[in-house]
Amino acid sequence: FPISETYFLSSREDAEEAARKLTFPVILKPPYRPDEWRKNTKEKAFKIADAEELLSIYDRSHKWADVLIAQEWITGTDKNHITCNCYFNSASEPLVVFTSRKLRQWPQKTGQGCFGEAFRDEIVSRETVRIFQSVDFRGLAYLEMKRDEQSGKYFIIEPNVGRPTDRSATAEANGVELIYTMYCDAIGWMLPTNREQKEGDVKWIYLRQDIQSALYSWLYGELTLREWLRSLRGRKWDAVFSWTDLAPFWYDLWRAVVLLIKPKSVKRR
């Protein structure tokens, strides 16, 4: 698998070895976020500048998970994050392959995409199909890769299987029937004709988190108000807002406010 240099840390000795051998910056994260991790931090991962900081954060956070991962940081902006959403049938044939890219994410640097667009990338498409076909996979699959700005190489960031991811709706928004293809294949119906990615122009946005991301970038001089407003031009598909069903939007907004005021009062799932 094309991944950046990685160490699994089960002890202080593992952390010390990683601190000696890794090239900084690195990220430190758990393989998944257990309740203890969520209880102590909102971060998915920590971006770490040097060996001393790695050991310091390891000492503070190693009790929050059974094992931690230290991995070399891949240079490049959010736009270097490319996602491929697929559906494979029972013969592990890819019936839908759709790629998109991040434009912004939240939290910054180590979060999840909050603004993205359709973006064709044959390298990520081929690698995604190769990996999942190698294990005869069937069902929904997702692979996120990032192109290193210095070397030009692509590295795996994260895979997911068995469920639609947040930005899989980008496919439907751009006329590609990802989820409906799965449904038709599962019950033996004729497959939809709109399964091939074309030059779509509908952007996907999680507006609340994108506002947070834009404010952060503005405070640090990385984005102006004019640049943010310009990026919002054109057709968009919102992650939670819909005029036909406002309840998810209001619940999401209420939960964000409560978490801000009383972070321990809302149960995380």
Side-chain angles (χ1 to χ4, degrees), residues 126-142:
R126 288 197 303 268
E127 186 64 19
T128 302
V129 172
R130 182 191 72 81
I131 286 174
F132 287 107
Q133 280 191 329
S134 72
V135 293
D136 296 325
F137 182 79
R138 177 185 183 179
L140 289 172
Y142 158 104

Side-chain angles (χ1 to χ4, degrees), residues 60-212:
R60 176 159 55 93
S61 63
H62 76 277
K63 294 181 180 179
W64 306 343
D66 294 334
V67 64
L68 295 177
I69 298 173
Q71 191 171 58
E72 289 184 4
W73 179 259
I74 303 165
T75 61
T77 66
D78 290 346
K79 290 184 178 181
N80 288 28
H81 288 258
I82 312 298
T83 291
C84 184
N85 287 91
C86 299
Y87 175 72
F88 295 86
N89 65 10
S90 59
S92 198
E93 298 169 332
L95 301 184
V96 179
V97 179
F98 185 89
T99 54
S100 61
R101 68 176 176 180
K102 289 182 182 179
L103 296 175
R104 285 185 289 272
Q105 62 181 332
W106 183 255
Q108 288 278 6
K109 312 302 181 187
T110 58
Q112 59 189 19
C114 59
F115 190 46
E117 64 181 358
F119 182 79
R120 300 187 69 167
D121 191 304
E122 296 301 325
I123 294 176
V124 177
S125 297
R126 288 197 303 268
E127 186 64 19
T128 302
V129 172
R130 182 191 72 81
I131 286 174
F132 287 107
Q133 280 191 329
S134 72
V135 293
D136 296 325
F137 182 79
R138 177 185 183 179
L140 289 172
Y142 158 104
L143 189 71
E144 180 182 346
M145 303 189 77
K146 184 177 180 181
R147 182 178 61 82
D148 185 81
E149 197 70 39
Q150 297 175 351
S151 68
K153 295 180 179 179
Y154 286 73
F155 295 94
I156 292 174
I157 299 297
E158 179 182 358
N160 273 293
V161 297
R163 63 180 178 85
T165 58
D166 288 345
R167 284 177 294 134
S168 62
T170 312
E172 278 88 2
N174 285 279
V176 178
E177 297 288 0
L178 175 65
I179 306 303
Y180 188 55
T181 297
M182 175 189 69
Y183 177 81
C184 292
D185 184 54
I187 64 174
W189 281 9
M190 183 180 295
L191 298 178
T193 56
N194 298 329
R195 293 183 287 115
E196 183 178 347
Q197 182 170 0
K198 299 180 175 63
E199 298 299 328
D201 62 354
V202 182
K203 297 174 182 177
W204 178 92
I205 186 169
Y206 188 168
L207 184 58
R208 175 178 64 78
Q209 289 192 347
D210 191 57
I211 291 173
Q212 292 173 282

